[in-house]
Amino acid sequence: QVQLVQSGSELKKPGASVKISCKASGYTFTGYSINWVRQAPGQGLEYMGWINTNTGNPTYAQGFTGRFVFSLDTSVSTAYLQISSLKAEDTAVYYCARGTFLDYWGQGTLVTVSS
Amino acid sequence: EIVLTQSPGTLTLSPGERATLSCRASQSVDNYLAWYQQKPGQAPRLLIYYASARATGIPDRFSGSGSGTDFTLTISRLEPEDFAVFYCQQYDSSPKTFGQGTKVEIK
């Protein structure tokens, strides 16, 4: 069965970096793009962008350029989201999700940024 | 970027009642619209894609309609497990965008 399993919660200080993983199983990894979605506490879903799992080409939504980097390791069917220069407002649950219309989702990774 | 506006913000209904949720796009998205359900502490779940196609395992009490700029998600008879927040999302143009959500709560 299709699964996306994300890495565990992170507690980081402002200015630090974090790298979240999203490991796919149950399907051909390069057959579907991987999307990233942010959800701040008590807020709605915010689309961050996606990465083409064939070419590795990322596309970032407005507001997610510069400090946010999507990457892949296709040998282990895993996508990554790295956030640098963390700020308190980056505190959120980050989700990965598969494909054009996000048919399967990871369980989410809580990133807490606090001094 | 395309803005999706969902209404109402909150819908208060009883089990067994019909729920009608609206999603309006700032420009045409053809039929490239999906609906998701999110319960507290859980990841969103895909309900509807291509505006009206039910995702695998979704009960037929959930239905989607519309095209262009106006879309509707209908839950024909609310079950206790249906109370949640619902989001629409367009994938016609980049970046994909979400609506702000409609909360369906128990009366």
Side-chain angles (χ1 to χ4, degrees), chain A residues 33 35 37 39 43-47 50 59-62 95 99-108, chain B residues 1 32 34 36 38 41-46 48-50 56 87 89 91 94-100:
Chain A
S33 58
N35 303 268
V37 176
Q39 187 168 38
Q43 303 300 307
L45 303 174
E46 190 174 15
Y47 187 74
W50 65 286
T59 301
Y60 301 97
Q62 269 185 354
Y95 294 101
T100 302
F101 38 79
L102 286 66
D103 56 355
Y104 288 90
W105 293 64
Q107 82 277 21
Chain B
E1 91 180 19
Y32 298 112
Y36 304 87
Q38 187 180 33
Q42 295 185 17
R45 174 176 71 148
L46 175 68
I48 301 287
Y49 59 100
Y50 290 129
T56 303
Y87 295 94
Q89 186 206 27
Y91 50 98
S94 184
K96 300 171 188 175
T97 47
F98 289 97
Q100 80 279 19

Side-chain angles (χ1 to χ4, degrees), chain B residues 9-29:
Chain B
T10 302
L11 203 48
T12 305
L13 296 167
S14 300
E17 290 193 294
R18 181 184 189 91
T20 303
L21 288 66
S22 174
C23 176
R24 176 164 288 179
S26 58
Q27 64 190 74
S28 176
V29 299

Side-chain angles (χ1 to χ4, degrees), chain B:
Chain B
E1 91 180 19
I2 295 176
V3 176
L4 299 180
T5 302
Q6 293 186 238
S7 61
T10 302
L11 203 48
T12 305
L13 296 167
S14 300
E17 290 193 294
R18 181 184 189 91
T20 303
L21 288 66
S22 174
C23 176
R24 176 164 288 179
S26 58
Q27 64 190 74
S28 176
V29 299
D30 198 351
N31 68 334
Y32 298 112
L33 189 106
W35 290 93
Y36 304 87
Q37 177 191 50
Q38 187 180 33
K39 298 179 182 178
Q42 295 185 17
R45 174 176 71 148
L46 175 68
L47 299 175
I48 301 287
Y49 59 100
Y50 290 129
S52 61
R54 264 189 302 277
T56 303
I58 301 304
D60 61 7
R61 63 180 180 273
F62 291 92
S63 62
S65 63
S67 67
T69 61
D70 289 295
F71 300 87
T72 301
L73 174 70
T74 301
I75 311 170
S76 58
R77 286 180 54 87
L78 283 163
E79 297 287 340
E81 63 267 27
D82 296 339
F83 292 90
V85 180
F86 294 83
Y87 295 94
C88 58
Q89 186 206 27
Q90 66 81 20
Y91 50 98
D92 179 62
S93 67
S94 184
K96 300 171 188 175
T97 47
F98 289 97
Q100 80 279 19
T102 290
K103 182 178 183 179
V104 178
E105 63 179 22
I106 300 176
K107 188 173 183 179

